[in-house]
Amino acid sequence: MTALGTVVTGARTFASDVIDGFFEITHSSFALLGLAVAFAVITLTARPDLRQTGEEKLMGWLQARQVAVMGTPIEPEASERATASNPKELPKEQAAVTYWLSKKYRVAPEPLAVLVAEAYEIGGKTKLDPTLILSIMAVESSFNPFAQSAVGAQGLMQVMTNVHTDKYQNFGGHFAAFDPVSNLRVGVKVLQECITRAGSLEGGLRYYVGAANLPDDGGYAAKVLAEHFRLRQVASGRSVPLQPPAPAAPPMLSTQAPAQAVPAKAPAEAEAPKASADKVALLSDL
């Protein structure tokens, strides 16, 4: 064999040995990798806590990467904090009330759907007409859950939070006054006490607005009962005009009496004492 042949044969032998060694190492590596994967699967199956921890860490890493890219925090649970639901899933009567209130007071139907459903549920438990509860919310705050009067009545039903702090204890404290559902429940509790004390619905509304000891309630009870009548018609399936409030006239809060027009007939009449402008809603001795 010539020297060239010997070199070629040696090169082929070397290449063959390298290839065989590569396949052997690769085969062994794949076998080890397979064993590692199998071991990891068995371990995670037997230890759900480890699997959950791993998933949380992986999700945290992915979210951190997304925040770094987008520049805003990621909160997948944010929608769960929202007081909203699909009004189309409500019973027919509740859906009709929801959409009517939404159009009249220019608020989204989704959060209203939750309030309407809650009013119907708590109304059934307390024997109060749910449309009455919704009427009080409409007159008091126009469904603004962050409304606050000059004397501290807060939330949808304008509860005097500093007076009825004890009623918010079961909801985590006085900040729950700005949680729509909590405010609704506390307001209904106060309304029940007012009606029981007065012995009638109209008298209870006078107590609720803080006008029980005043000559009149500034038309508050009449407003609530008129809205209640309209909502009862809506709930029964009738077509009721919206009669939206004038944009320049904000809704009257229970702690503030409307301005009274005084006819200019005689000086004695013009100087007659006016009703107190600041009525304290939800009496402190309830």
Side-chain angles (χ1 to χ4, degrees):
M1 178 178 297
T2 62
L4 180 59
T6 302
V7 172
V8 171
T9 301
R12 287 177 178 176
T13 302
F14 176 77
S16 177
D17 291 342
V18 170
I19 293 172
D20 290 343
F22 174 78
F23 280 119
E24 183 69 23
I25 294 172
T26 304
H27 178 74
S28 300
S29 299
F30 281 138
L32 290 173
L33 180 61
L35 288 173
V37 170
F39 178 76
V41 170
I42 294 172
T43 302
L44 293 177
T45 303
R47 293 286 303 276
D49 57 323
L50 294 178
R51 183 174 68 253
Q52 183 177 357
T53 301
E55 290 174 353
E56 291 175 353
K57 288 185 177 181
L58 178 60
M59 183 60 67
W61 180 81
L62 292 174
Q63 290 178 358
R65 290 294 303 164
Q66 193 165 359
V67 170
V69 173
M70 298 179 62
T72 56
I74 309 300
E75 294 187 83
E77 300 84 10
S79 61
E80 297 177 4
R81 298 199 303 267
T83 305
S85 66
N86 187 354
K88 295 180 180 179
E89 297 176 356
L90 293 174
K92 184 178 180 180
E93 177 180 329
Q94 296 182 31
V97 171
T98 297
Y99 284 116
W100 190 84
L101 289 172
S102 173
K103 291 178 182 178
K104 179 173 182 178
Y105 292 96
R106 299 183 179 94
V107 291
E110 290 81 5
L112 268 180
V114 175
L115 300 178
V116 170
E118 181 67 24
Y120 271 79
E121 182 177 351
I122 197 171
K125 295 177 180 177
T126 59
K127 308 302 180 185
L128 289 174
D129 192 324
T131 55
L132 171 66
I133 299 171
L134 293 167
S135 299
I136 291 175
M137 281 189 280
V139 173
E140 289 286 355
S141 66
S142 295
F143 298 98
N144 176 8
F146 308 125
Q148 176 167 305
S149 74
V151 294
Q154 297 176 324
L156 286 175
M157 297 191 71
Q158 288 294 279
V159 178
M160 290 291 292
T161 305
N162 62 340
V163 173
H164 298 285
T165 305
D166 60 316
K167 292 182 174 64
Y168 282 111
Q169 289 179 356
N170 292 336
F171 301 97
H174 65 279
F175 285 140
F178 300 107
D179 171 59
V181 175
S182 300
N183 189 281
L184 189 161
R185 293 174 180 174
V186 171
V188 167
K189 177 64 176 175
V190 175
L191 177 63
Q192 279 185 292
E193 295 175 355
C194 290
I195 294 174
T196 300
R197 180 169 184 172
S200 68
L201 175 57
E202 289 192 34
L205 290 174
R206 288 175 63 87
Y207 269 102
Y208 190 90
V209 78
N213 299 321
L214 297 177
D216 66 82
D217 63 359
Y220 175 79
K223 274 190 174 185
V224 171
L225 293 176
E227 190 73 347
H228 181 211
F229 176 74
R230 286 189 287 269
L231 282 180
R232 286 307 308 153
Q233 289 184 310
V234 172
S236 65
R238 297 182 184 180
S239 178
V240 180
L242 294 177
Q243 299 178 347
M252 181 192 73
L253 297 181
S254 65
T255 53
Q256 202 166 31
Q260 300 292 326
V262 180
K265 288 185 178 180
E269 292 180 356
E271 295 175 1
K274 64 178 180 178
S276 172
D278 286 330
K279 298 179 181 178
V280 179
L282 316 184
L283 300 180
S284 60
D285 55 351
L286 285 176

